[in-house]
Amino acid sequence: MKRSRSLKLILFAVVATLLGVYAPSASAQHTSSQFQGPKANKGTVTHSTKDGKSVLTLSDDFVVPDTPDPHWQVVDSDGNVYLLDKLKTKAFIGTSYKKEIVVPSYVKDVSKVVIWCAFAEVNLGEAKFSSPVK
């Protein structure tokens, strides 16, 4: 009986260790390089997974470019470009902006995030991940 109990404890410890090593981390985050560009050149973007969705979040030191129509844009590892949502809308008054965005499921991965001016059709700045994230 004592041996059976000890064996169960050892088995439990082994299983718990394996689950800890092999279980995917829901809180895994990846941070990009600093934004570099003519108008967006401060801050970074962090990729995380929340509720099974891929989420991008701008850092607190990011400064929204003073341009007419800044947007989120992502580029995947194959070079496909996806124009996503506006950084600022009428709902965001003053210095408020869309600091976080859910990456659509049709985007296979994200190699870099571009702040894109849809009005002037110009890259305002970009931040790259060391390897594609999804």
Side-chain angles (χ1 to χ4, degrees):
M1 178 119 175
K2 194 172 187 181
R3 183 175 177 201
S4 173
R5 188 174 186 199
S6 296
L7 197 55
K8 286 180 183 178
L9 285 173
I10 291 171
L11 184 59
F12 177 76
V14 169
V15 169
T17 301
L18 289 175
L19 286 176
V21 170
Y22 293 108
S25 174
S27 62
Q29 293 185 343
H30 306 92
T31 302
S32 71
S33 62
Q34 181 173 319
F35 277 95
Q36 295 181 350
K39 297 280 186 179
N41 49 30
K42 290 187 179 178
T44 59
V45 63
T46 300
H47 171 267
S48 60
T49 302
K50 295 181 184 174
D51 299 325
K53 296 179 181 177
S54 182
V55 178
L56 298 172
T57 306
L58 295 168
S59 62
D60 291 337
D61 59 341
F62 176 81
V63 177
V64 178
D66 187 23
T67 59
D69 200 14
H71 277 69
W72 284 90
Q73 187 177 56
V74 296
V75 180
D76 70 15
S77 58
D78 291 332
N80 298 311
V81 179
Y82 303 91
L83 183 63
L84 302 180
D85 207 354
K86 293 182 175 202
L87 276 175
K88 295 181 99 171
T89 63
K90 290 180 183 178
F92 295 107
I93 299 170
T95 58
S96 297
Y97 62 95
K98 188 171 187 146
K99 185 176 180 174
E100 184 175 279
I101 192 165
V102 174
V103 179
S105 60
Y106 57 82
V107 177
K108 77 171 194 167
D109 60 29
V110 178
S111 290
K112 66 181 171 180
V113 175
V114 177
I115 303 302
W116 179 259
C117 179
F119 177 79
E121 296 185 350
V122 65
N123 179 337
L124 302 171
E126 61 185 48
K128 298 177 184 178
F129 289 100
S130 58
S131 61
V133 295
K134 181 60 179 166

